Amino acid sequence: VQLQASGGGLVQPGGSLRLSCAAPVSDFDYYAIAWFRQAPEKEREQVSCMNNAGSTHYADSVKGRFTISRDDAKNTVYLQMDSLKPEDAAVYYCAVDRRGGSYCPMIPYKNWGQGTLVTVSS
């Protein structure tokens, strides 16, 4: 299953972006959802996730600035990113997994999107 991420772009420090990710799966409400990012020469890291009960988890670096959400009627995952910093620049990937009831940071996500580039620069 190929997820389709969008919404990346160039933004000034302090600005906002909203990433979206369409997930063409059945029974999307069973799924856990997540956003990851990978900056040049750095390992991929999980930014945020949400299980199918709505329990969320955020990396310390984005707490209070990023918000993950989902629209189960549209099979879509969102990441609202506010107060962006240069260190948030990366390729952002969405991921979903049908083991939706699990603790979402520990799920080995099976389905991934192609990535969308976020650049934070003045």
Side-chain angles (χ1 to χ4, degrees), residues 19-88:
L19 306 183
S20 300
C21 176
V25 298
S26 301
D27 300 324
F28 178 70
D29 55 339
Y30 283 102
Y31 281 69
I33 62 175
W35 288 95
F36 293 77
R37 68 185 180 188
Q38 187 166 20
E41 300 182 359
K42 292 188 176 181
E43 293 188 357
R44 186 176 66 194
E45 64 171 340
Q46 187 181 95
V47 174
S48 182
C49 64
M50 178 188 286
N51 71 7
N52 61 11
S55 179
T56 58
H57 181 271
Y58 294 91
D60 288 343
S61 58
V62 306
K63 280 181 181 176
R65 300 188 297 120
F66 289 13
T67 304
I68 192 171
S69 63
R70 62 194 295 164
D71 186 335
D72 290 345
K74 296 181 178 180
N75 280 32
T76 302
V77 181
Y78 302 99
L79 185 69
Q80 177 67 41
M81 305 186 296
D82 299 318
S83 302
L84 282 160
K85 304 176 180 180
E87 53 263 42
D88 295 318

